[in-house]
Every structure is written in structure tokens, then in C-alpha cells.
């Protein structure tokens, strides 16, 4: 879910849904306390920085959507290669230092055992659960990739996408329409800078200055925060009024015409997704169940099993 407002719908890299044989008990013998170590480190970091949960969840999405769930988003750029984390959609990810801390603690407990890809997948589950959302058993056994290219981040779904573009982008990863609507609910956590939605506020079309699908009062409040020209690079909007709590408010906002991204609001008005949006808005339990199922499915995308376990998540071995 890329907060990146101008991105061409060009699928250069298609990542298949992998039939990898991952397992819930993968580290039971080799690193039995791995999940406890990850949870404690993430919880402590979130206590000191409330932005951590949203950033970790988004990190997992952005990792799996490019080359699959292989921790390629964690690799640093080198003089010879600009890596994914320096691609435009990922410049605001942050929280890489939290994954570094997790890896350091795991290497002390069980050297060369837990992959960075598994750390991100488990951490994403933990930040959802500790924010009030569902808990699920994470399948483990991913290995870490050795390739990371910034130009491939063009394949992340953009906040300006319409529903057809979103459906195609998810389908390229083996994910269905229900997965699209459920995983979009991850926007219940977090914040977006004006650059990701200001196209809806000014000179929207030859007929409308403002996107007519926006609630008029909400649109006016966004215009006040995101003036044109906008000199405040930190200006933006919470994606959900309860943005530190994982709940179904995101869907209620969409129904009220208060979806921040055009891509979010488009889900309500498309016959393929609108009923699912309403179902999740009406029943948080249903949303939680489907979100957990879709996160497990996303975690299987493009998994590597015959690769390395990085010693440092920022660099290949």
C-alpha cells in the first residue's frame, strides 16, 4: 500500500504465490524462544515510538509485493545498486532500526538461524495483535533474498489506483478480491503525507476541483492541512481517526466518504468490492478473521526456501 501519488500502472515483475512448505513449528528445536524475542523487542520499540506498528505492517506489505517475502526491502543500497528501501514509495517506511534490534537479539540467542524474512512476517503479526487486532500463527521457514532494486518499487499498488488496477496488482501475487479488501484494512494503522492524496483536493478534473467521492466537510479539512502550494513536508492526515488501534473504523470511514486515498474510496463504489467493504464495516469479527487469513496468504508470496539466512538484515552474506 504505497503512499506514493504518481506511479504508472506497469507490471514489470510478477511474483507468484509460492507453494513453499512453511511451518508454524519451524524454529521449535533450533530457536524455541524466537517469537518471544521478536515480540519483546517490537513491544519495547513501539512503547518509545508509536509509529512503529504502522511502519512494520507496511514494511511487510512492501516486502512481499516486490520479489515476494524475502526481506529484500531491508537491504541497504550500495555504490553499485540502489535498493528497494530507497525507491520513492519506501522512503517513508522507517523502523528498519527495530528489525536491526530484533536481529541482534536473535543472533545472540540462536546464531545464523532465524531469517530476516521471518522476522518481518512475525513482527507484522505482533504489531497487529498488540494494537488490538487479530492474532494468527505465522508460518515460518522463509529464507532471505540477495537482490533488491529500487526501480522495482514501481510495482507497488499506488494510492491513486482504481479498483480494477488494484485487483490486477493483487492477482499478480496470487491474491483475490477478498484479500485486497481485507489487506487494505491495514490502513487502519498509520498516517499519510499530503503528496499521496493531494491530487484529490486540487484540480481534480475539468469538471470538479475536488474529488466528488470525498465527503465535502472532510475534503475541506484536508485542504486546510494540505494547502497548495504546501511548504510543510510533514503535513498529512491520519488514515483512520483511531490510527493507533487496529479496528474496522477504516471501512466505516470509507462508507462515510472519508477514505483518504482514492484507492481506498474506490473500493466502496465497485460492485466487486463494495459489499465486502460494508460487511467488514458492519462486523469487526468478520474483518479480523479475513484479515488474518489474507496475511497468512500474503506471507506465502514468492517465498525462498533454498537461500541464505542473513547475519545482518541490511546486507547479503
Amino acid at each position: 500500500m504505497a503512499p506514493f501519488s504518481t506511479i504508472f500502472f506497469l507490471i514489470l515483475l510478477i511474483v507468484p504465490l509460492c507453494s513453499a512448505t512453511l511451518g508454524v513449528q519451524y524454529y521449535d528445536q533450533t530457536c524455541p524462544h524466537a517469537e518471544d524475542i521478536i515480540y519483546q523487542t517490537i513491544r519495547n520499540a513501539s512503547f518509545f515510538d508509536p509509529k512503529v506498528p504502522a511502519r512494520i505492517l507496511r514494511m511487510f506489505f512492501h516486502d512481499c509485493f516486490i520479489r515476494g517475502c524475502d526481506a529484500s526491502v531491508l537491504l541497504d543500497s550500495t555504490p553499485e545498486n540502489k535498493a528497494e528501501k530507497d525507491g520513492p514509495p519506501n522512503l517513508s517506511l522507517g523502523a528498519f532500526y527495530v528489525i536491526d534490534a530484533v536481529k541482534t537479539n536473535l543472533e545472540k540467542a540462536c546464531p545464523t538461524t532465524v531469517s530476516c524474512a521471518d522476522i518481518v512476517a512475525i513482527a507484522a503479526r505482533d504489531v497487529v495483535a498488540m494494537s488490538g487486532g487479530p492474532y494468527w500463527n505465522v508460518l515460518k521457514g522463509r529464507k532471505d533474498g540477495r537482490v533488491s532494486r529500487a526501480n522495482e518499487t514501481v510495482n507497488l499498488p499506488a494510492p491513486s489506483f482504481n479498483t480494477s488496477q488494484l485487483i490486477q496488482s493483487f492477482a499478480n501475487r496470487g491474491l483475490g478480491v477478498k484479500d485486497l479488501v481485507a489487506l487494505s484494512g491495514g490502513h487502519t494503522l498509520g498516517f499519510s503525507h499530503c503528496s499521496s492524496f493531494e491530487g484529490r483536493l486540487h484540480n481534480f478534473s475539468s469538471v470538479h476541483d475536488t474529488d466528488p467521492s470525498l465527503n465535502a466537510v472532510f475534503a475541506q479539512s484536508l485542504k486546510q492541512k494540505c494547502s497548495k502550494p504546501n511548504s510543510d513536508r510533514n503535513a498529512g492526515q491520519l488514515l483512520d481517526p483511531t490510527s493507533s488501534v487496529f479496528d474496522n473504523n477504516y471501512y466505516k470511514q470509507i462508507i462515510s466518504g472519508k477514505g483518504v486515498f482514492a484507492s481506498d474510496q474506490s473500493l466502496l463504489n465497485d460492485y466487486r468490492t463494495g459489499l465486502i467493504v460494508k460487511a467488514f464495516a458492519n462486523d469487526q469479527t468478520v474483518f479480523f478473521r479475513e484479515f488474518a487469513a489474507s496475511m497468512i496468504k500474503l506471507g506465502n508470496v514468492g517465498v525462498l526456501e533454498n537461500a541464505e539466512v542473513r547475519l545482518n538484515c541490511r546486507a547479503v552474506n
Side-chain angles (χ1 to χ4, degrees):
M1 316 329 181
F4 179 42
S5 58
T6 53
I7 183 170
F8 292 104
F9 184 62
L10 179 63
I11 301 300
L12 300 177
L13 178 71
I14 296 177
V15 184
L17 186 69
C18 184
S19 58
T21 52
L22 305 180
V24 171
Q25 300 174 320
Y26 188 83
Y27 295 114
D28 281 7
Q29 302 300 318
T30 55
C31 195
H33 301 297
E35 294 199 46
D36 290 336
I37 293 169
I38 294 170
Y39 174 78
Q40 292 296 338
T41 309
I42 296 293
R43 189 184 70 168
N44 292 340
S46 300
F47 177 79
F48 288 105
D49 182 359
K51 296 178 182 178
V52 164
R55 287 176 168 174
I56 294 290
L57 182 56
R58 191 161 155 255
M59 184 186 295
F60 176 65
F61 289 148
H62 284 215
D63 182 43
C64 294
F65 259 73
I66 305 296
R67 295 189 166 268
C69 307
D70 67 346
S72 55
V73 75
L74 302 180
L75 289 171
D76 283 345
S77 294
T78 66
E80 298 79 26
N81 178 67
K82 188 175 181 180
E84 285 173 35
K85 64 169 56 170
D86 291 319
N90 288 336
L91 293 177
S92 59
L93 271 185
F96 293 109
Y97 72 94
V98 180
I99 302 300
D100 293 339
V102 172
K103 183 62 171 172
T104 296
N105 292 338
L106 284 170
E107 286 300 308
K108 291 176 182 176
C110 349
T112 68
T113 302
V114 182
S115 69
C116 300
D118 276 347
I119 291 172
V120 175
I122 295 166
R125 185 273 314 277
D126 288 348
V127 297
V128 168
M130 70 176 62
S131 300
Y135 181 94
W136 61 93
N137 289 319
V138 176
L139 300 175
K140 297 169 283 287
R142 300 165 190 81
K143 295 298 187 288
D144 300 322
R146 295 179 60 87
V147 178
S148 181
R149 299 190 180 108
N151 61 5
E152 291 176 354
T153 59
V154 73
N155 295 304
L156 288 166
S160 58
F161 273 11
N162 61 38
T163 301
S164 293
Q165 290 172 313
L166 289 171
I167 289 173
Q168 184 62 58
S169 180
F170 275 67
N172 288 337
R173 281 92 182 164
L175 302 170
V177 172
K178 189 162 62 174
D179 300 314
L180 159 62
V181 181
L183 293 173
S184 294
H187 286 162
T188 186
L189 299 179
F191 168 91
S192 173
H193 292 101
C194 294
S195 59
S196 295
F197 58 86
E198 61 189 359
R200 306 181 72 197
L201 307 178
H202 311 283
N203 302 319
F204 178 71
S205 72
S206 59
V207 179
H208 301 282
D209 182 56
T210 304
D211 184 345
S213 67
L214 267 174
N215 174 286
V217 175
F218 184 59
Q220 195 57 41
S221 71
L222 292 180
K223 284 186 175 184
Q224 291 173 355
K225 294 176 181 178
C226 304
S227 58
K228 188 176 182 180
N230 182 16
S231 58
D232 183 1
R233 292 186 177 182
N234 295 318
Q237 172 67 28
L238 297 174
L239 298 180
D240 176 330
T242 56
S243 64
S244 63
V245 179
F246 195 96
D247 55 25
N248 68 337
N249 252 340
Y250 160 82
Y251 299 102
K252 296 176 181 178
Q253 289 291 106
I254 291 175
I255 290 174
S256 300
K258 297 178 181 178
V260 176
F261 297 150
S263 57
D264 291 338
Q265 196 62 52
S266 75
L267 296 175
L268 177 65
N269 301 318
D270 192 289
Y271 72 95
R272 295 165 290 184
T273 52
L275 290 178
I276 306 174
V277 169
K278 292 174 183 176
F280 291 167
N282 289 332
D283 193 331
Q284 182 167 275
T285 302
V286 172
F287 164 51
F288 279 11
R289 182 183 69 234
E290 296 300 338
F291 182 83
S294 292
M295 285 289 280
I296 293 170
K297 195 171 176 182
L298 175 62
N300 269 318
V301 172
V303 166
L304 301 176
E305 288 186 288
N306 299 308
E308 66 187 25
V309 173
R310 285 183 217 143
L311 303 181
N312 174 358
C313 290
R314 291 176 178 265
V316 300
N317 292 343

